[in-house]
Amino acid sequence: MQTALRNKDVKIAVLCGGMSSEREVSLRSGKNCHAALLRLGYKRAKLVDVKQNIANELKDFDIAYNALHGRYGEDGCIQGLLEILKIPYTGCGVMSSAICMNKEYTKKVLSTDKEIPLIKSVYVKKGEDVVSAVKGLQYPLITKPVSEGSSFGMTKVNKPDELLKAYEEAVKYNNDVLIEEFIDGFFVTVGVLERNGKTFATEILEIRTKTEWYDFDAKYTKGLSEFIVPATGLSSETTGLTKRLAVKSHILAGCSGVSRVDFMIRDDRPYFLEINTSPGMTDTSDLPAQAQAIGISYDELVKLILESAGLNK
């Protein structure tokens, strides 16, 4: 694959848009990645808005650059199709994409390593009694659709009489819901990349928001979040631990090429939140800022991810 990428005439489909609730974010990621590929000399790179006829559109491309987020693009579906079509693609493969898209299954996989601190939670399937399910948890809580990104459907629940409304908001996106105890701390995220067979962490990015917690508006509205990278709210020991746990989580979940691992920090201790297998690449996204902090420009980051094509099989 590295030999093929030296040929700047290679045809690259930049997959974006798609059919998930994160469509608009993905279009922004795709536009930025496409522009970077053109700057890198890949003049035959083309933006491809993924719709139901995607298999027909892809037949003439050599490589797929995955800038999709959410359902069908980050859950193993597009990855499976690309493998059937024998088109090398960037980022994580079928299995790791499917696992990491489901927050409950991610936690099940990572629970095999006792070093990774997981937040106490319950998994509520459609039809189950949500009030009974949370009896062992301490308020406040966070309700989350089990397979959704960009904070869609998430609600902070401060007291029991807010639970049912929050649950109903979550099931608008998924039938099944993960409910976790709320960690009253601050949010950090770590990019995980691969180069020449070595997996490594970026700098840790600490996020301070003007909203109550890191919700959709805080993520994608300029001015509502402050990025601090490298993070300043962690001790040197916790910084090292968080980076190591990010790389360990990436490997345990079978990820390849790129991921972004999120944690909450309380009392200088990291608590695992989730793994994103197709991180945002917009102007306000975390991964480009994390990479920049270790000397990797946006275009270099795009090239590094491009070089992961074919590693996920």
Side-chain angles (χ1 to χ4, degrees):
M1 182 53 62
Q2 298 303 310
T3 301
L5 291 175
R6 294 191 192 104
N7 176 12
K8 294 298 179 73
D9 286 331
V10 66
K11 293 187 70 176
I12 303 172
V14 180
L15 306 182
C16 62
M19 299 170 281
S20 81
S21 57
E22 297 182 79
R23 171 178 170 80
E24 294 304 317
V25 177
S26 174
L27 287 170
R28 289 157 59 186
S29 288
K31 181 180 178 181
N32 284 4
C33 292
H34 176 249
L37 288 169
L38 294 179
R39 289 192 297 268
L40 288 165
Y42 294 99
K43 299 302 182 185
R44 300 183 77 189
K46 180 181 177 182
L47 276 172
V48 177
D49 188 348
V50 174
K51 304 218 176 130
Q52 288 182 329
N53 64 343
I54 186 61
N56 290 329
E57 287 193 57
L58 289 175
K59 59 186 179 181
D60 294 326
F61 286 96
D62 302 309
I63 297 171
Y65 190 106
N66 187 17
L68 291 164
H69 309 314
R71 190 174 298 178
Y72 307 121
E74 200 171 351
D75 59 0
C77 289
I78 193 70
Q79 292 82 2
L81 174 62
L82 290 165
E83 294 206 8
I84 291 171
L85 296 175
K86 300 187 183 305
I87 298 174
Y89 57 92
T90 60
C92 296
V94 175
M95 181 186 71
S96 58
S97 298
I99 288 171
C100 294
M101 188 65 187
N102 186 296
K103 298 175 180 69
E104 173 68 8
Y105 286 114
T106 305
K107 293 180 78 166
K108 286 184 182 298
V109 170
L110 298 189
S111 69
T112 60
D113 190 313
K114 300 304 180 185
E115 186 186 25
I116 300 174
L118 303 176
I119 302 169
K120 190 174 181 180
S121 65
V122 294
Y123 177 45
V124 183
K125 295 183 179 181
K126 185 178 181 180
E128 292 183 342
D129 183 351
V130 64
V131 175
S132 297
V134 303
K135 282 185 176 178
L137 301 183
Q138 297 293 317
Y139 284 84
L141 306 172
I142 288 284
T143 55
K144 306 176 179 181
V146 78
S147 297
E148 195 59 64
S150 291
S151 299
F152 283 110
M154 288 178 60
T155 306
K156 183 184 176 188
V157 181
N158 293 301
K159 50 189 178 180
D161 61 9
E162 298 174 355
L163 178 62
L164 288 179
K165 182 179 179 181
Y167 175 76
E168 290 301 324
E169 179 63 23
V171 296
K172 290 178 183 178
Y173 297 89
N174 291 160
N175 286 335
D176 302 331
V177 176
L178 183 69
I179 304 177
E180 292 181 328
E181 292 185 349
F182 178 73
I183 298 294
D184 188 13
F186 59 92
F187 181 92
V188 301
T189 180
V190 190
V192 181
L193 299 168
E194 297 179 24
R195 176 189 281 147
N196 300 325
K198 181 182 177 182
T199 305
F200 64 96
T202 66
E203 285 290 359
I204 300 173
L205 186 148
E206 177 183 341
I207 298 174
R208 296 179 182 173
T209 72
K210 294 181 180 178
T211 54
E212 185 178 7
W213 54 284
Y214 195 39
D215 59 9
F216 180 89
D217 288 338
K219 287 182 178 180
Y220 298 110
T221 305
K222 284 187 177 180
L224 288 186
S225 293
E226 179 186 4
F227 285 5
I228 303 166
V229 56
T232 59
L234 291 74
S235 67
S236 58
E237 286 185 1
T238 301
T239 295
L241 173 63
T242 304
K243 288 181 180 181
R244 186 163 59 81
L245 291 177
V247 170
K248 178 179 277 194
S249 299
H250 173 100
I251 293 170
L252 271 175
C255 297
S256 58
V258 61
S259 73
R260 202 195 73 233
V261 187
D262 299 342
F263 299 89
M264 286 298 294
I265 305 294
R266 182 173 65 190
D267 299 329
D268 205 33
R269 184 185 181 194
Y271 293 85
F272 172 86
L273 286 176
E274 63 179 304
I275 302 175
N276 301 271
T277 57
S278 184
M281 294 288 284
T282 73
D283 293 338
T284 58
S285 292
D286 305 335
L287 184 63
Q290 294 164 323
Q292 183 69 49
I294 57 171
I296 298 175
S297 69
Y298 189 94
D299 288 5
E300 290 169 330
L301 175 61
V302 167
K303 188 172 189 298
L304 199 59
I305 295 172
L306 179 64
E307 290 170 351
S308 73
L311 297 179
N312 35 41
K313 293 186 178 180

